[in-house]
Amino acid sequence: MDQKPLKKIDIIFGWDERCTPIQVVEKTIKKTPENIILDMIDSGLKGRGGAGFPTGLKWKFTRNEESEVKYVICNADEGEPGTFKDREILDKVPEKIFAGMTICGYVIGAREGYIYVRGEYNFMLKTLQQKIDIFNQQLHDMKVDFHVYLRSGSGAYVCGEESALFESMEGKRGEPRNKPPYPTVAGYNNKPTVINNVETLVYTSEICRMGPEQFKALGTNDSRGSKVFSVSGDTPIAGIYELELGMPLRDFVDEFGDGDTKAIQVGGASGHCVPRKKFNDTIIGFEGIPTGGSMMIFNSSRSMYNVLHDYLEFFTEESCGQCTPCRIGCQQLLKGIEAVKKGERPPTYLDDLKRLTATMKIAAKCGLGQSVANPFTSIVDNFREEIIY
Amino acid sequence: MTTIEVLIHDLVEKHGKNRNALMPVLQGVVACEKFLSEEAMIAVARELDLSAADVYGTASFYTFLDTKPRGKNIIRVCKTISCHMQGKDAIIKAIESHLMVKVGETSPDKKFTLLSANCLGWCHKGPVMLINDEVFPSVTPEKAIEIIENFAKKTI
């Protein structure tokens, strides 16, 4: 299988004095929108929020929609447990985000861009607004017709789901919409909208700065480039690391584990749990296990029952309650594992619960309910004894 | 006009008289008042020409838009897995016994409300707590109490 050894990269947080974000904008908008889209497609960049949709195609679809008004939205509603990279990007290199949004605006024909930051990061709003004001002034001086605005959330994980985020921005309950129509056709205010993750937007401006070749040279066929990882849990060096995509999980464990790593939860609460015996044949990337960047490390002192219990409590609270499979499903899974643990239900009840997650996967309306099956089945299958006894 | 009506009127002037302004307006009220009273929600509804039920419907969806009275400072301790592994239980226990409240309650002097929160985005520096908008990573039970005491002194 195509794979790359673990390698630390410095694209996202690196700073090029000779080509600052605003200069990247200046240089890029001399190209035609079509050429910029070709560069994005050529680079192989896929969304860094977790879902991994090709960024160039998203921009292309939105450009092709006919509408006087379109929007660019930066999804900074980072809420997946174990993820904290977007906060660091917003704090350290926000100008790169603004540059990515402006370029996107130029490509698709939007004059307004919004950054939706989760309410938990309210402490940074003031500084961020000041930096936005400076950037907007620079755009104005360059006669670029684009303006960046800031919006904040109010503590709802589900608003990271793109259509729920639009609902929230429109002053409504953050309940995901039915799809289609997709945001490229009808997003914020029902207008064609590009919504990209913070990190994705930074990569778009970096690809414009250094060209698609340099980006494409990193990673594997299915997972081009690098990615910012949030490393937490049982590790002596928790923090944020940009790594080349396509590495075997074994390399990651050797670098970040504490020598006693039992399992890694890749992709946060909604991701997959990989046990020790599968470290060697698991690739981190779209061909293996994709991730929005959350890597939680558990050593052998941890009870995987407690881990699963925490995740299920999280989903039970954060389910928006709109659709029955997710609302009731999350509650029943939580009650179910508690009952098995207490011996009120036989161990085989876990198989019934697994069937419930399979139903949720096909019947829940959005990614929240659909993805509960990931942690549930991967933890139950690999650590069944810990759940029962 | 009452003070709250003036506040809401100003917020609507600033953010616009349309539905898209609802979140920023409600957030503005909470920033000053810590929660949304019935009076506030009715005033917002009137200013934005929405039904009060619609305003309540939106507000009640969001964890940070409280519709119950809260203390002057809101403490939110992260309870999600990474902070759990790094000892959030001890933090909560220390605060509970210091303020003589349980999670979800407000101290008798109305200075603090203690709440738990889902992932606050500081998993590498847990346990973490927010007081109002301020963040305090890598807290110990002793440090948490010290921080809270400092807030208590600043709060009249």
Side-chain angles (χ1 to χ4, degrees):
Chain A
M1 200 172 2
D2 192 14
Q3 63 182 55
K4 288 284 183 77
L6 182 137
K7 190 169 147 206
K8 289 184 184 163
I9 307 288
D10 190 25
I11 295 176
I12 292 279
F13 295 102
W15 193 262
D16 184 351
E17 258 324 312
R18 293 157 305 164
C19 196
T20 62
I22 194 79
Q23 288 168 324
V24 173
V25 172
E26 199 173 7
K27 171 177 112 168
T28 309
I29 58 175
K30 285 177 186 147
K31 293 186 179 180
T32 64
E34 286 80 8
N35 280 334
I36 301 172
I37 288 175
L38 285 179
D39 277 354
M40 286 305 144
I41 293 173
D42 183 35
S43 74
L45 175 63
K46 291 181 183 175
R48 295 299 196 238
F53 191 81
T55 308
L57 287 183
K58 197 184 262 188
W59 288 20
K60 188 179 169 185
F61 294 157
T62 314
R63 174 172 170 75
N64 291 346
E65 286 299 315
E66 268 184 45
S67 173
E68 252 307 293
V69 180
K70 296 180 187 178
Y71 298 102
V72 179
I73 293 177
C74 167
N75 186 344
D77 194 50
E78 175 175 61
E80 189 64 51
T83 321
F84 41 94
K85 61 174 179 88
D86 292 342
R87 174 175 52 69
E88 197 81 357
I89 298 172
L90 287 159
D91 184 39
K92 297 273 164 52
V93 286
E95 293 82 4
K96 292 189 180 185
I97 307 169
F98 313 154
M101 293 172 75
T102 310
I103 293 166
C104 177
Y106 167 72
V107 167
I108 65 166
R111 288 182 291 271
E112 291 175 29
Y114 291 86
I115 304 178
Y116 184 99
V117 183
R118 68 189 302 224
E120 288 81 348
Y121 296 167
N122 276 350
F123 64 90
M124 63 160 70
L125 291 182
K126 214 174 136 194
T127 338
L128 199 55
Q129 186 62 56
Q130 287 165 351
K131 290 177 180 173
I132 289 174
D133 292 343
I134 295 171
F135 193 85
N136 280 335
Q137 186 58 47
Q138 288 172 322
L139 289 180
H140 181 80
D141 294 344
M142 282 162 51
K143 299 200 168 42
V144 177
D145 189 11
F146 190 77
H147 205 89
V148 180
Y149 299 89
L150 191 56
R151 287 285 180 274
S152 75
S154 276
Y157 167 76
V158 73
C159 287
E161 198 282 338
E162 51 194 19
S163 63
L165 189 149
F166 302 144
E167 291 287 302
S168 176
M169 281 181 63
E170 292 173 13
K172 300 172 200 154
R173 295 166 69 84
E175 292 173 349
R177 299 173 182 167
N178 282 322
K179 290 185 205 174
Y182 292 98
T184 53
V185 176
Y188 178 47
N189 291 338
N190 279 321
K191 301 290 180 193
T193 305
V194 162
I195 177 162
N196 280 145
N197 174 261
V198 171
E199 188 187 341
T200 312
L201 285 163
V202 173
Y203 277 121
T204 63
S205 77
E206 287 299 313
I207 289 165
C208 292
R209 182 182 64 82
M210 62 190 189
E213 288 76 23
Q214 215 178 317
F215 181 83
K216 202 163 65 167
L218 297 170
T220 58
N221 272 337
D222 289 330
S223 315
R224 296 287 180 201
S226 48
K227 161 110 202 62
V228 183
F229 289 87
S230 311
V231 183
S232 69
D234 294 311
T235 164
I237 45 171
I240 290 155
Y241 300 88
E242 186 176 359
L243 305 170
E244 185 170 0
L245 280 173
M247 71 193 144
L249 191 55
R250 164 59 59 198
D251 279 18
F252 180 88
V253 173
D254 290 346
E255 177 77 18
F256 296 101
D258 61 357
D260 184 28
T261 305
K262 164 163 91 173
I264 300 211
Q265 181 75 15
V266 181
S270 66
H272 297 263
C273 182
V274 185
R276 187 184 287 150
K277 62 174 186 274
K278 291 182 186 159
F279 288 165
N280 282 334
D281 10 276
T282 303
I283 303 287
I284 301 303
F286 297 105
E287 58 271 80
I289 301 189
T291 164
S294 170
M295 303 291 275
M296 286 188 272
I297 305 177
F298 304 111
N299 69 19
S300 55
S301 75
R302 306 296 176 184
S303 149
M304 297 312 284
Y305 171 81
N306 287 345
V307 172
L308 182 59
H309 193 271
D310 257 45
Y311 291 162
L312 293 175
E313 258 184 355
F314 175 83
F315 287 121
T316 304
E317 285 175 21
E318 296 296 341
S319 170
C320 80
Q322 185 187 190
C323 75
T324 314
C326 177
R327 183 184 66 246
I328 306 293
C330 291
Q331 294 171 10
Q332 290 306 319
L333 291 174
L334 182 59
K335 278 190 193 167
I337 63 160
E338 284 173 351
V340 171
K341 192 75 175 175
K342 284 187 206 142
E344 291 163 1
R345 293 274 183 179
T348 48
Y349 189 60
L350 289 174
D351 303 315
D352 293 336
L353 295 176
K354 266 172 67 182
R355 276 196 291 279
L356 173 57
T357 64
T359 304
M360 290 168 71
K361 200 169 184 167
I362 48 170
K365 189 168 173 180
C366 82
L368 192 157
Q370 290 161 9
S371 62
V372 178
N374 300 338
F376 193 87
T377 46
S378 58
I379 294 177
V380 168
D381 285 350
N382 291 305
F383 299 98
R384 201 178 168 94
E385 300 76 25
E386 289 190 36
I387 307 297
I388 300 167
Y389 305 107
Chain B
M1 284 208 283
T2 62
T3 18
I4 189 111
E5 281 171 344
V6 174
L7 170 72
I8 290 165
H9 184 78
D10 291 348
L11 284 164
V12 170
E13 288 282 294
K14 187 179 163 200
H15 296 290
K17 206 178 165 63
N18 56 66
R19 179 87 191 226
N20 286 2
L22 181 57
M23 288 290 284
V25 169
L26 294 178
Q27 286 162 347
V29 176
V30 171
C32 293
E33 303 285 314
K34 299 295 167 195
F35 83 108
L36 297 161
S37 61
E38 230 178 275
E39 186 199 356
M41 285 186 278
I42 291 169
V44 170
R46 208 171 285 141
E47 283 280 345
L48 291 178
D49 200 16
L50 298 167
S51 76
D54 229 350
V55 173
Y56 176 73
T58 297
S60 58
F61 185 83
Y62 297 93
T63 317
F64 286 12
L65 300 178
D66 270 316
T67 51
K68 271 186 275 175
R70 297 299 190 194
K72 289 174 185 140
N73 299 290
I74 299 180
I75 307 168
R76 295 177 202 271
V77 180
C78 179
K79 63 171 180 182
T80 308
I81 188 75
S82 300
C83 285
H84 193 168
M85 284 158 60
Q86 293 171 94
K88 60 96 188 166
D89 285 342
I91 308 292
I92 290 177
K93 224 169 127 192
I95 300 175
E96 281 183 338
S97 68
H98 183 76
L99 295 176
M100 291 186 294
V101 294
K102 291 259 167 267
V103 173
E105 293 175 355
T106 300
S107 61
D109 60 6
K110 304 271 188 285
K111 281 189 180 178
F112 295 98
T113 297
L114 175 63
L115 301 172
S116 61
N118 281 328
C119 191
L120 297 174
W122 293 85
C123 320
H124 59 324
K125 288 183 182 166
V128 62
M129 66 176 185
L130 282 181
I131 300 186
N132 308 324
D133 284 345
E134 251 183 280
V135 54
F136 298 94
S138 308
V139 289
T140 58
E142 298 74 31
K143 240 161 86 182
I145 302 302
E146 203 185 305
I147 293 162
I148 287 168
E149 272 307 288
N150 284 334
F151 269 84
K153 280 181 213 145
K154 283 189 281 177
T155 310
I156 317 142

